[in-house]
Amino acid sequence: MRIDILTLFPKMFTDFSSTGIFQRAIENKLVELNIYNIRDYTHDKHHIVDDYPYGGGAGMVMKPEPIFEAVESIMQPEENSKKVPVILTTPRGRLFSQEIAKELAQNERLIIICGHYEGVDERIHRNLATDEISIGDYVLSGGEPAAMVIVDAVTRLIPGVLGSEESAKDDSHSAGLLEYPQYTRPAVFRDWEVPEILLSGNHGEIAKWRREQSVLRTAERRPELLNRADLNKKEIEMVKEKYENLFKEE
Ligand code: SAM
């Protein structure tokens, strides 16, 4: 997958792209990450990328010209540019989730625009972006952390990016449930013991315990997720016993 990021702060991506799983994905040519400085697409002496908002008000707004020019110039002329998702990071966008990460991971290319100041000119929202994504109901100073969140969640889902020792299939949210508790050595740390079942070597019982823990943990922390999770009858009874009134009446 090729990912192009448009930003005013390219250096923010230096460590991000040279660490851990992501670095390996780049080295193994599973992901290509290109960072573009929006300022490079200005034509004035001072490389101005923002201006005062029409109608007044606090702060500055990012100008449309450099961002349009950047996106248009990085699209390969021969490809059907309409097929490349152009994602604008914005607190006004659809709320990012594992489902959206899965959807984005199907693409061969992504372009992500990082806003700053009071955001970007509305014409970028309307006429350039094909998707607007928010990573949560709060406001960041810039779109860079949001772009990193999106890129990280998406690239983990590209086949081959996670090594055989890692797996996304049991991760929280991958099956609509939060992940079960994980332990590593030592078996006893400050009197806190690893649950005996995990030391038993009985893989069937371990899988059963993990599933149960996943269901209970989700019920306790994110009960709203259970309405969409695929629970069997026994699991529903188990949750009902512990947490009354959790399931919506039909
Ligand atoms: N005035 C804008 C508003 O209220 O919608 C917020 C602008 S914010 C200070 C600057 C930039 O940070 C945005 O253009 C966007 O790129 C990014 N940003 C802020 N919060 C975000 C969020 N929750 N999700 C994704 N991007 C966000």
Side-chain angles (χ1 to χ4, degrees):
M1 174 185 274
R2 171 176 165 178
I3 303 171
D4 299 313
I5 296 181
L6 277 62
T7 172
L8 290 176
F9 299 96
K11 278 193 192 149
M12 287 180 76
F13 291 90
T14 311
D15 280 352
F16 174 71
S17 58
S18 57
T19 323
I21 286 170
F22 200 73
Q23 180 195 24
R24 215 168 57 204
I26 293 175
E27 279 169 9
N28 292 340
K29 304 212 176 332
L30 296 165
V31 178
E32 177 188 336
L33 183 69
N34 304 306
I35 309 296
Y36 297 89
N37 189 338
I38 295 167
R39 266 183 219 288
D40 292 343
Y41 298 87
T42 53
H43 298 286
D44 62 300
K45 205 168 110 194
H46 300 290
H47 302 290
I48 291 171
V49 290
D50 58 330
D51 209 333
Y52 294 100
Y54 273 120
M60 303 294 271
V61 174
M62 286 179 77
K63 290 162 70 59
E65 305 95 311
I67 297 181
F68 266 85
E69 191 174 319
V71 169
E72 285 162 1
S73 78
I74 62 179
M75 295 254 198
Q76 298 295 320
E78 69 271 17
E79 79 189 328
N80 183 352
S81 57
K82 287 213 167 73
K83 279 197 182 147
V84 181
V86 179
I87 299 167
L88 178 61
T89 55
T90 164
R92 289 190 250 160
R94 58 183 179 138
L95 202 54
F96 193 55
S97 64
Q98 189 69 10
E99 283 310 306
I100 296 179
K102 281 183 200 161
E103 175 197 314
L104 296 179
Q106 306 305 313
N107 294 289
E108 280 172 20
R109 279 191 71 174
L110 294 178
I111 295 177
I112 305 179
I113 303 169
C114 304
H116 255 272
Y117 316 118
E118 281 309 309
V120 303
D121 185 286
E122 183 65 19
R123 286 161 289 193
I124 294 164
H125 288 262
R126 286 177 184 242
N127 308 110
L128 185 64
T130 61
D131 198 354
E132 301 187 24
I133 291 184
S134 164
I135 59 158
D137 291 337
Y138 41 76
V139 177
L140 304 164
S141 328
E144 288 75 13
M148 290 181 205
V149 166
I150 296 167
V151 169
D152 190 314
V154 168
T155 50
R156 299 174 52 79
L157 299 174
I158 297 172
V161 165
L162 294 184
S164 55
E165 74 279 14
E166 302 124 343
S167 163
K169 97 177 152 37
D170 288 337
D171 278 348
S172 297
H173 303 291
S174 56
L177 295 172
L178 303 183
E179 198 186 48
Y180 47 79
Q182 296 270 28
Y183 293 87
T184 185
R185 279 187 282 191
V188 181
F189 170 66
R190 296 188 181 173
D191 288 345
W192 298 308
E193 292 176 12
V194 171
E196 228 178 289
I197 182 81
L198 296 178
L199 311 176
S200 69
N202 184 334
H203 297 295
E205 286 303 309
I206 290 172
K208 233 168 89 187
W209 179 86
R210 285 180 164 167
R211 170 78 189 182
E212 202 176 289
Q213 292 295 313
S214 259
V215 173
L216 290 175
R217 181 171 276 203
T218 310
E220 183 189 316
R221 298 183 182 180
R222 298 289 305 279
E224 79 282 7
L225 295 179
L226 287 183
N227 286 315
R228 287 193 294 135
D230 194 14
L231 301 192
N232 63 35
K233 250 179 152 177
K234 218 171 131 202
E235 288 167 343
I236 293 174
E237 287 312 314
M238 174 180 78
V239 174
K240 272 186 176 162
E241 230 173 71
K242 273 200 108 166
Y243 305 92
E244 279 171 31
N245 304 324
L246 207 58
F247 290 92
K248 281 190 191 146
E249 295 300 324
E250 290 296 312

